[in-house]
Amino acid sequence: MWHGEGFDVARGDAEFVEFARAASARLVHAAFLMTGDHHQAEDAAQTALARTYASWSRIRDDDAYGYARRILVNHLVDGWRRPIREYPTEEVPEQRRDDVADEVATRRWLTAILGVLSPRERAIVVLRYYFDLPEAQVARELTISVGTVKSTSSRALEKLRGTGPRAVDTREACR
Amino acid sequence: MSELDRLRHAMRVTERPGATLDLAAVMRDGRRLRTRRRVAGAGAATLATGLVAAVVAVVAGALPGDPRTIERPPPVAVAPMPPAGVTPTPLGTPGRTPATTAGRTEPPPSPLGQVIDSGIRHGTDQRVYYVVQVSVPGQPRVKIGLVAGRRAPHGTLTTDLLVNDVEGSDRSPGFHQIGYDSGGSPAPVPTFGYFVGPAQRIIGTVNGRQVAARLARWSADKQVVIFWFDPADLAPGDRLDGIVARDGSNRRL
């Protein structure tokens, strides 16, 4: 649940609240893609937004979303020792939809294939294919070279292809 | 649909529209972090750039929710990727860190044990590593942090980056927090950290390549092995994919 209404907030704070509401879903989901754990993802997104808020006066007129995204991704990559976890199947979305079973199956497939990647590979895959960032920008955000982005991305996709058939089978079996 | 298209599609359709974040907590933590930066900047000129991976400083608790802190820019430059803070505790002044105004006279943290010269130079400055006392609220077993600093020819120490545990024990066996350059320091900070145990070799992996760290034991506790990577082997800021420690018999620890 969001909190924020009723605060005696300054104008800058109101802007931040608006920004946070708009950005949070994608940040949380990106963190989930990188960790496979909802609680960890929410913690990471909350940390990223807190740090963004701490610098709000400096970045509000710049690329605040990019700033929050960079903090989030690097925060998670720094925690590379944490293993990716299986998605707990009992945690289905509260807002049930007709296709909820399909979404759970897709999420399980996604967790399975991302789970074979190293933390850096996951970060690059998420930045490249979820946020649709060009390689040069991924390199800047992770403070690595473009060559490293290319080679790591290529290696990650190879792994995903290797995982593909089994994952597809799993998905079909869940239908 | 290709594998890549399927991946893209799956990443998008599984997004949940309703976030469950606590915005009040976000803003409270952000205010505390902002306050900590201001204290750090005002209190210790040598402690300006990078405090990493820790809990919000106790001093921040002095002003929770204080609307006067909103939108007041920090008076000093801060790291581009600001971390959450910790309070380095100056020797001889244990306990709570003084409030904002008192921070102006707070001395910089003093090294515990010997300062380690890495052999790396930044102009005339030496890249050094040293342990400092820290205070993390609610974590009584976290008492030390590791600093990457510089030592000028006349002996003055400048702190670039401090890393410490945020939970558990700072002496538990194994690896502890690893410090990465975040671009906020005047001089690039080689990746560093510490391991507790009888490590004789520490090997990092990055992009499938193995990189050996340089080691030194902490003079105050020989179980604490401080390590760092030569910037020629591992570019500052580049994230490790893995790291292992081995003993004298080449057994993995």
Side-chain angles (χ1 to χ4, degrees):
Chain A
M1 179 192 300
W2 275 108
H3 302 278
E5 285 80 11
F7 289 165
D8 179 17
V9 292
R11 184 165 148 267
D13 283 9
E15 291 175 359
F16 175 78
V17 169
E18 186 179 353
F19 161 78
R21 282 180 171 149
S24 59
R26 293 208 89 197
L27 293 174
V28 170
H29 190 56
F32 170 75
L33 295 173
M34 291 180 64
T35 62
D37 182 273
H38 283 297
H39 297 299
Q40 198 176 328
E42 289 175 3
D43 285 348
Q46 196 143 327
T47 298
L49 286 173
R51 294 181 185 182
T52 302
Y53 177 62
S55 300
W56 189 245
S57 62
R58 184 162 52 90
I59 62 171
R60 59 199 268 194
D61 295 327
D62 199 1
D63 181 14
Y65 184 66
Y67 184 88
R69 184 183 60 224
R70 280 195 298 279
I71 290 177
L72 176 82
V73 172
N74 283 293
H75 172 71
L76 289 170
V77 170
D78 285 346
W80 56 266
R81 282 179 287 173
R82 294 175 294 208
I84 191 166
R85 300 180 192 174
E86 287 296 321
Y87 173 66
T89 53
E90 66 274 17
E91 284 191 27
V92 295
E94 290 178 5
Q95 294 177 316
R96 300 188 69 86
R97 300 192 296 267
D98 293 341
D99 58 351
V100 68
D102 192 45
E103 183 185 321
V104 169
T106 302
R107 191 179 288 268
R108 189 178 292 139
W109 174 79
L110 194 57
T111 304
I113 62 170
L114 292 176
V116 304
L117 304 181
S118 72
R120 177 184 283 184
E121 289 168 344
R122 285 202 299 273
I124 289 174
V125 164
V126 170
L127 288 173
R128 284 282 287 129
Y129 305 118
Y130 178 61
F131 288 114
D132 282 328
L133 298 184
E135 288 171 336
Q137 191 169 347
V138 174
R140 279 197 300 276
E141 298 206 355
L142 293 174
T143 59
I144 57 179
S145 68
V146 174
T148 299
V149 172
K150 287 181 177 176
S151 61
T152 307
S153 183
S154 172
R155 193 164 56 240
L157 292 179
E158 276 301 311
K159 285 185 183 178
L160 295 182
R161 287 189 192 99
T163 313
R166 185 167 55 83
V168 170
D169 291 345
T170 303
R171 188 184 182 198
E172 292 299 323
C174 290
R175 284 178 182 268
Chain B
M1 188 183 288
S2 71
E3 288 286 332
L4 192 53
D5 290 339
R6 184 175 298 143
L7 175 66
R8 278 195 167 107
H9 175 73
M11 287 198 287
R12 284 177 176 81
V13 298
T14 52
E15 187 177 301
R16 291 176 172 180
T20 55
L21 301 183
D22 184 345
L23 186 54
V26 164
M27 297 175 78
R28 184 182 63 239
D29 291 348
R31 281 192 196 102
R32 286 178 175 171
L33 178 56
R34 198 184 297 167
T35 304
R36 185 200 60 73
R37 285 189 205 151
R38 199 161 51 238
V39 173
T46 57
L47 186 64
T49 47
L51 302 176
V52 169
V55 173
V56 171
V58 290
V59 64
L63 298 170
D66 182 351
R68 290 172 300 178
T69 64
I70 296 172
E71 293 306 312
R72 199 181 298 163
V76 296
V78 295
M81 192 186 72
V86 67
T87 304
T89 306
L91 290 178
T93 55
R96 293 179 73 85
T97 304
T100 308
T101 51
R104 295 179 191 285
T105 57
E106 187 180 350
S110 303
L112 299 172
Q114 293 178 354
V115 175
I116 297 167
D117 179 5
S118 69
I120 299 166
R121 297 290 178 269
H122 304 285
T124 57
D125 288 356
Q126 301 170 330
R127 168 60 63 196
V128 295
Y129 296 98
Y130 50 92
V131 174
V132 295
Q133 186 178 341
V134 299
S135 173
V136 180
Q139 299 296 330
R141 296 166 71 199
V142 178
K143 296 178 180 174
I144 62 168
L146 180 61
V147 169
R150 282 167 289 135
R151 183 162 55 191
H154 51 77
T156 301
L157 290 173
T158 300
T159 298
D160 284 332
L161 207 59
L162 162 65
V163 295
N164 61 275
D165 290 335
V166 294
E167 59 183 7
S169 168
D170 56 27
R171 306 298 168 86
S172 60
F175 286 100
H176 292 253
Q177 291 288 336
I178 294 178
Y180 291 101
D181 182 84
S182 60
S185 170
V189 178
T191 301
F192 69 105
Y194 75 89
F195 179 90
V196 175
Q200 295 291 326
R201 295 173 63 220
I202 289 178
I203 309 292
T205 306
V206 58
N207 296 329
R209 182 170 58 92
Q210 293 196 328
V211 184
R214 299 186 182 184
L215 313 183
R217 294 193 179 277
W218 183 31
S219 61
D221 182 348
K222 298 295 184 186
Q223 283 295 301
V224 175
V225 180
I226 295 166
F227 63 87
W228 64 93
F229 292 91
D230 191 308
D233 299 328
L234 179 66
D238 271 9
R239 263 55 178 179
L240 292 165
D241 295 323
I243 191 167
V244 296
R246 296 189 181 280
D247 66 11
S249 303
N250 207 33
R251 283 185 301 224
R252 183 171 175 172
L253 298 173

